[in-house]
Protein backbone atom coordinates (compact mmCIF):
# COMPACT_ATOMS: atom_id res chain seq x y z
CA UNK A 1 0.00 0.00 0.00
CA UNK A 2 1.39 3.41 -0.99
CA UNK A 3 0.81 6.28 1.39
CA UNK A 4 1.54 9.94 0.73
CA UNK A 5 2.54 11.88 3.82
CA UNK A 6 1.46 15.51 3.91
CA UNK A 7 3.17 17.23 6.84
CA UNK A 8 2.00 20.56 8.16
CA UNK A 9 0.82 22.72 11.00
CA UNK A 10 -2.69 22.85 9.48
CA UNK A 11 -3.31 25.98 11.51
CA UNK A 12 -6.07 25.78 10.28
CA UNK A 13 -6.53 23.18 7.56
CA UNK A 14 -8.11 24.81 4.50
CA UNK A 15 -9.45 23.87 1.09
CA UNK A 16 -6.02 24.30 -0.50
CA UNK A 17 -4.68 21.47 1.67
CA UNK A 18 -7.68 19.31 0.85
CA UNK A 19 -7.42 19.91 -2.90
CA UNK A 20 -3.72 18.99 -2.87
CA UNK A 21 -4.37 15.78 -0.90
CA UNK A 22 -7.26 14.76 -3.14
CA UNK A 23 -5.31 15.50 -6.33
CA UNK A 24 -2.48 13.31 -4.99
CA UNK A 25 -4.83 10.36 -4.34
CA UNK A 26 -6.67 10.75 -7.63
CA UNK A 27 -3.69 11.42 -9.94
CA UNK A 28 -0.88 9.24 -8.58
CA UNK A 29 -0.54 5.61 -7.50
CA UNK A 30 -1.12 6.54 -3.85
CA UNK A 31 -3.83 4.64 -1.99
CA UNK A 32 -4.15 7.21 0.80
CA UNK A 33 -2.82 10.55 1.98
CA UNK A 34 -2.09 10.96 5.67
CA UNK A 35 -2.09 14.45 7.14
CA UNK A 36 0.78 14.48 9.63
CA UNK A 37 -0.15 17.23 12.07
CA UNK A 38 3.11 18.70 13.31
CA UNK A 39 3.08 19.84 16.93
CA UNK A 40 6.03 22.15 16.24
CA UNK A 41 7.57 22.95 12.88
CA UNK A 42 11.28 23.74 13.39
CA UNK A 43 10.87 26.74 11.04
CA UNK A 44 7.79 28.27 12.69
CA UNK A 45 7.29 30.14 15.94
CA UNK A 46 5.34 28.07 18.44
CA UNK A 47 3.28 30.96 19.85
CA UNK A 48 1.27 31.29 16.61
CA UNK A 49 0.04 27.68 16.76
CA UNK A 50 -3.23 26.42 18.18
CA UNK A 51 -2.81 23.40 20.43
CA UNK A 52 -2.11 20.27 18.39
CA UNK A 53 -5.29 18.54 19.64
CA UNK A 54 -7.40 21.41 18.31
CA UNK A 55 -5.59 21.28 14.95
CA UNK A 56 -6.02 17.51 14.57
CA UNK A 57 -9.71 17.91 15.47
CA UNK A 58 -10.05 20.36 12.58
CA UNK A 59 -8.23 17.98 10.20
CA UNK A 60 -10.50 15.10 11.24
CA UNK A 61 -13.56 17.30 10.71
CA UNK A 62 -12.30 18.36 7.27
CA UNK A 63 -11.67 14.82 5.99
CA UNK A 64 -14.47 12.93 7.72
CA UNK A 65 -16.21 12.18 4.42
CA UNK A 66 -13.16 10.87 2.52
CA UNK A 67 -11.77 7.43 3.40
CA UNK A 68 -8.68 8.08 1.22
CA UNK A 69 -7.53 10.77 3.64
CA UNK A 70 -6.41 10.18 7.23
CA UNK A 71 -5.24 12.40 10.09
CA UNK A 72 -2.20 11.33 12.07
CA UNK A 73 -1.01 12.46 15.49
CA UNK A 74 2.17 10.36 15.19
CA UNK A 75 4.42 13.34 15.96
CA UNK A 76 2.59 14.34 19.15
CA UNK A 77 4.62 11.88 21.23
CA UNK A 78 7.90 12.24 19.39
CA UNK A 79 10.76 14.53 20.49
CA UNK A 80 10.26 18.18 19.57
CA UNK A 81 10.97 19.86 17.31
CA UNK A 82 9.90 17.11 14.94
CA UNK A 83 12.02 16.33 11.90
CA UNK A 84 10.52 14.70 8.83
CA UNK A 85 13.18 11.97 8.56
CA UNK A 86 12.54 10.83 12.15
CA UNK A 87 8.80 10.52 11.48
CA UNK A 88 9.38 8.72 8.17
CA UNK A 89 11.74 6.24 9.87
CA UNK A 90 9.30 5.66 12.74
CA UNK A 91 6.34 5.12 10.39
CA UNK A 92 8.36 2.75 8.18
CA UNK A 93 9.31 0.66 11.23
CA UNK A 94 5.72 0.69 12.56
CA UNK A 95 4.13 -0.09 9.15
CA UNK A 96 6.55 -2.33 7.20
CA UNK A 97 3.69 -3.26 4.83
CA UNK A 98 3.36 0.35 3.59
CA UNK A 99 5.49 2.42 1.23
CA UNK A 100 5.62 6.07 2.19
CA UNK A 101 6.25 9.07 -0.05
CA UNK A 102 6.63 12.65 1.05
CA UNK A 103 4.29 15.31 -0.38
CA UNK A 104 5.71 18.83 -0.46
CA UNK A 105 4.93 22.09 -2.14
CA UNK A 106 7.16 23.33 -4.92
CA UNK A 107 7.98 26.34 -2.73
CA UNK A 108 9.86 23.97 -0.37
CA UNK A 109 11.90 22.28 -3.10
CA UNK A 110 14.64 24.94 -3.26
CA UNK A 111 15.39 24.65 0.48
CA UNK A 112 14.80 20.90 0.72
CA UNK A 113 18.55 20.08 0.65
CA UNK A 114 18.82 21.92 4.03
CA UNK A 115 16.37 19.49 5.66
CA UNK A 116 17.78 16.97 8.13
CA UNK A 117 18.90 13.87 6.15
CA UNK A 118 17.48 15.24 2.89
CA UNK A 119 19.48 12.76 0.76
CA UNK A 120 18.13 9.83 2.77
CA UNK A 121 14.56 11.08 2.32
CA UNK A 122 15.09 11.36 -1.44
CA UNK A 123 16.71 7.94 -1.71
CA UNK A 124 14.31 5.94 0.45
CA UNK A 125 11.00 7.78 0.11
CA UNK A 126 11.02 10.24 -2.77
CA UNK A 127 9.03 13.43 -3.20
CA UNK A 128 5.66 14.15 -4.75
CA UNK A 129 5.67 17.86 -5.49
CA UNK A 130 2.61 20.03 -6.06
CA UNK A 131 2.97 23.38 -7.87
CA UNK A 132 3.01 26.60 -5.90
CA UNK A 133 2.79 30.17 -7.20
CA UNK A 134 6.10 32.05 -7.25
CA UNK A 135 8.18 28.97 -6.37
CA UNK A 136 11.88 29.42 -7.03
CA UNK A 137 13.36 26.97 -9.54
CA UNK A 138 15.25 24.01 -8.11
CA UNK A 139 17.64 21.56 -9.72
CA UNK A 140 16.01 18.87 -7.58
CA UNK A 141 13.15 18.72 -10.10
CA UNK A 142 15.53 16.62 -12.26
CA UNK A 143 16.11 14.05 -9.49
CA UNK A 144 14.73 10.60 -10.42
CA UNK A 145 12.87 10.33 -7.07
CA UNK A 146 11.17 13.72 -7.43
CA UNK A 147 7.84 13.74 -9.25
CA UNK A 148 6.04 16.96 -10.11
CA UNK A 149 2.27 16.45 -9.95
CA UNK A 150 -0.05 18.49 -12.12
CA UNK A 151 -2.45 20.25 -9.79
CA UNK A 152 -4.28 23.55 -9.62
CA UNK A 153 -2.24 26.36 -8.08
CA UNK A 154 -3.97 27.22 -4.86
CA UNK A 155 -2.73 30.35 -3.13
CA UNK A 156 -4.67 30.21 0.13
CA UNK A 157 -2.73 30.63 3.33
CA UNK A 158 -3.61 29.77 6.90
CA UNK A 159 -2.13 33.16 7.83
CA UNK A 160 -4.73 34.91 5.64
CA UNK A 161 -7.50 32.87 7.30
CA UNK A 162 -6.26 33.69 10.82
CA UNK A 163 -6.00 37.40 9.96
CA UNK A 164 -9.51 37.35 8.48
CA UNK A 165 -10.86 35.85 11.70
CA UNK A 166 -9.00 38.41 13.83
CA UNK A 167 -10.54 41.17 11.70
CA UNK A 168 -14.01 39.64 11.98
CA UNK A 169 -14.17 38.77 8.27
CA UNK A 170 -15.79 35.71 6.74
CA UNK A 171 -13.73 32.60 5.98
CA UNK A 172 -16.58 30.98 4.07
CA UNK A 173 -15.29 28.82 1.18
CA UNK A 174 -11.70 28.99 2.50
CA UNK A 175 -12.26 26.11 4.91
CA UNK A 176 -14.86 23.32 4.91
CA UNK A 177 -18.15 24.29 6.56
CA UNK A 178 -17.67 21.93 9.52
CA UNK A 179 -14.17 23.38 10.14
CA UNK A 180 -15.59 26.91 10.01
CA UNK A 181 -18.26 25.90 12.55
CA UNK A 182 -15.61 24.38 14.84
CA UNK A 183 -13.44 27.52 14.61
CA UNK A 184 -16.38 29.77 15.54
CA UNK A 185 -17.73 27.47 18.26
CA UNK A 186 -14.34 27.27 19.99
CA UNK A 187 -13.41 30.90 19.23
CA UNK A 188 -10.12 29.93 17.61
CA UNK A 189 -7.80 32.70 16.38
CA UNK A 190 -9.75 35.64 17.84
Amino acid sequence: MKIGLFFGSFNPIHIGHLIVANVMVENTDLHQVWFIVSPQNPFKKRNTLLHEFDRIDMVNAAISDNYNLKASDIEFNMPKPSYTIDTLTYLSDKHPDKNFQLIIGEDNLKTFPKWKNAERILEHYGLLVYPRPNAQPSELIQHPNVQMIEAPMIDISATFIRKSLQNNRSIKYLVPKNVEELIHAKKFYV
Side-chain angles (χ1 to χ4, degrees):
M1 184 177 228
K2 288 188 97 171
I3 308 293
L5 300 178
F6 191 178
F7 287 73
S9 302
F10 305 112
N11 188 38
I13 190 166
H14 54 67
I15 60 157
H17 297 129
L18 297 170
I19 290 169
V20 166
N22 197 60
V23 164
M24 290 292 172
V25 168
E26 294 296 328
N27 297 289
T28 68
D29 59 352
L30 294 178
H31 297 97
Q32 288 185 326
V33 169
W34 293 2
F35 288 87
I36 309 296
V37 179
S38 302
Q40 182 181 351
N41 178 324
F43 301 109
K44 291 191 179 177
K45 290 181 180 167
R46 187 157 175 77
N47 63 1
T48 62
L49 289 179
L50 274 187
H51 192 281
E52 58 239 38
F53 295 138
D54 292 323
R55 289 183 286 120
I56 201 159
D57 284 349
M58 287 190 288
V59 172
N60 277 315
I63 63 174
S64 61
D65 63 346
N66 190 333
Y67 64 89
N68 292 320
L69 307 178
K70 178 183 168 185
S72 173
D73 63 1
I74 197 79
E75 289 192 337
F76 290 10
N77 296 311
M78 294 179 72
K80 293 168 186 63
S82 43
Y83 292 95
T84 303
I85 187 61
D86 298 333
T87 307
L88 286 165
T89 303
Y90 181 83
L91 284 170
S92 295
D93 290 346
K94 189 174 178 184
H95 302 282
D97 59 321
K98 293 180 174 51
N99 292 322
F100 295 102
Q101 282 190 284
L102 183 59
I103 297 169
I104 69 168
E106 186 180 10
D107 52 330
N108 289 311
L109 206 52
K110 182 85 172 160
T111 58
F112 182 78
K114 295 179 180 167
W115 290 24
K116 182 181 176 185
N117 296 87
E119 279 300 320
R120 194 163 144 226
I121 294 171
L122 277 172
E123 185 180 328
H124 293 286
Y125 301 97
L127 303 178
L128 296 172
V129 182
Y130 60 89
R132 292 284 291 145
N134 306 315
Q136 293 187 2
S138 168
E139 292 177 14
L140 265 184
I141 204 70
Q142 306 301 324
H143 193 284
N145 290 343
V146 173
Q147 183 181 355
M148 192 74 182
I149 305 301
E150 187 179 337
M153 287 222 200
I154 310 292
D155 197 15
I156 297 171
S157 75
T159 303
F160 177 83
I161 294 167
R162 292 192 305 271
K163 282 182 182 172
S164 295
L165 288 161
Q166 289 160 358
N167 292 312
N168 206 27
R169 293 190 190 118
S170 172
I171 58 168
K172 189 173 187 171
Y173 309 122
L174 295 172
V175 298
K177 186 170 177 41
N178 53 0
V179 171
E180 182 182 12
E181 289 168 355
L182 190 58
I183 286 170
H184 289 307
K186 297 217 173 180
K187 296 182 176 22
F188 292 154
Y189 309 115
V190 291

